[in-house]
Amino acid sequence: AQSVTQPDARVTVSEGASLQLRCKYSYSATPYLFWYVQYPRQGLQLLLKYYSGDPVVQGVNSFEAEFSKSNSSFHLQKASVHWSDSAVYFCALGNYNVLYFGSGTKLTVEP
Amino acid sequence: EAAVTQSPRNKVTVTGGNVTLSCRQTNSHNYMYWYRQDTGHGLRLIHYSYGAGNLQIGDVPDGYKATRTTQEDFFLLLELASPSQTSLYFCASSGAGLNTGQLYFGEGSKLTVL
């Protein structure tokens, strides 16, 4: 079985601060991992994806994520957040043709 | 740009009512999915399909039927709606299966069952 856990339901940071959103996964093989973002009243949009190779992957809007097999983690990071980054972020794991999502982390960026 | 269109965007029905949610994609994608989104649960897969006439069962299929009539169209059917099915429903499509592709989501259909 596979699962994705996002331990932080809500995160609040100040504009310009760095950000880390945590994601832990459970999967027996090397996973296909994704981060999606959901802005208010919209569907989900892909931020970045990891299949193999370099454990640090770059995404859109200066987001990056680091895969760690030893820790079963795929944390999302950004060096300096902007108010427009306020949204809900979902970590997801791909198993064959199905994507399994975590419960999401709501990010609020304060001025 | 991949396009997935859902209708209706908002729907209110009563317990026991009959609801059909529609999804159309114009990307020639093989895979289409129906998810429901609930606070604290993230997105949970209801049904998916890899082509016209095909249907695969997801993680939370109880109370839902689905039908893929064409490459473009995927419908979610609630024949006896219950309040527990009040949720935000998302349709998505993917061109290459999730192991290589990415999902393109519609804007969601909010369903309220009174």
Side-chain angles (χ1 to χ4, degrees):
Chain A
Q2 63 285 307
S3 67
V4 178
T5 301
Q6 294 180 247
D8 305 309
R10 295 175 181 269
V11 170
T12 300
V13 298
S14 299
E15 192 167 21
S18 63
L19 170 72
Q20 183 185 73
L21 301 182
R22 296 185 291 165
C23 173
K24 299 275 285 185
Y25 70 88
S26 174
Y27 191 60
S28 57
T30 300
Y32 294 86
L33 294 165
F34 305 79
W35 275 99
Y36 280 81
V37 61
Q38 184 181 33
Y39 298 104
R41 294 173 296 281
Q42 295 185 25
L44 281 71
Q45 302 169 36
L46 181 69
L47 273 180
L48 48 79
K49 56 190 176 185
Y50 170 80
Y51 296 147
S52 65
D54 189 337
V56 178
V57 292
Q58 305 296 322
V60 301
N61 201 18
S62 302
F63 282 95
E64 66 177 34
E66 184 169 5
F67 168 70
S68 171
K69 188 173 182 178
S70 60
N71 293 325
S72 298
S73 67
F74 188 56
H75 300 330
L76 182 70
Q77 298 168 334
K78 188 171 185 179
S80 176
V81 297
H82 186 264
W83 65 267
S84 60
D85 292 326
S86 294
V88 181
Y89 292 80
F90 291 94
C91 182
L93 180 151
N95 181 6
Y96 293 96
N97 298 305
V98 176
L99 207 58
Y100 296 92
F101 288 87
S103 55
T105 298
K106 184 176 182 179
L107 172 67
T108 301
V109 180
E110 294 182 330
Chain B
E1 180 76 18
V4 180
T5 304
Q6 294 182 230
S7 63
R9 295 292 310 278
N10 285 283
K11 175 74 175 179
V12 180
T13 189
V14 296
T15 299
N18 197 322
V19 176
T20 298
L21 303 181
S22 302
C23 177
R24 167 163 284 196
Q25 55 100 358
T26 57
N27 315 306
S28 300
H29 285 167
N30 291 330
Y31 290 86
M32 295 185 74
Y33 308 82
W34 277 107
Y35 286 89
R36 60 178 288 174
Q37 182 180 16
D38 304 288
T39 303
H41 292 280
L43 277 78
R44 294 180 289 176
L45 184 67
I46 305 171
H47 290 296
Y48 67 104
S49 167
Y50 55 74
N54 174 264
L55 182 65
Q56 303 294 315
I57 295 173
D59 292 334
V60 291
D62 293 346
Y64 301 97
K65 292 184 179 179
T67 181
R68 181 89 175 269
T69 55
T70 65
Q71 178 83 345
E72 296 77 21
D73 299 304
F74 194 30
F75 300 93
L76 186 67
L77 305 125
L78 293 73
E79 293 183 334
L80 287 171
S82 72
S84 64
Q85 293 176 307
T86 293
S87 187
L88 181 60
Y89 292 86
F90 284 100
C91 177
S93 72
S94 175
L98 286 166
N99 281 354
T100 55
Q102 71 178 72
L103 265 61
Y104 293 87
F105 283 84
E107 295 190 331
S109 296
K110 184 177 180 181
L111 174 64
T112 302
V113 184
L114 303 175

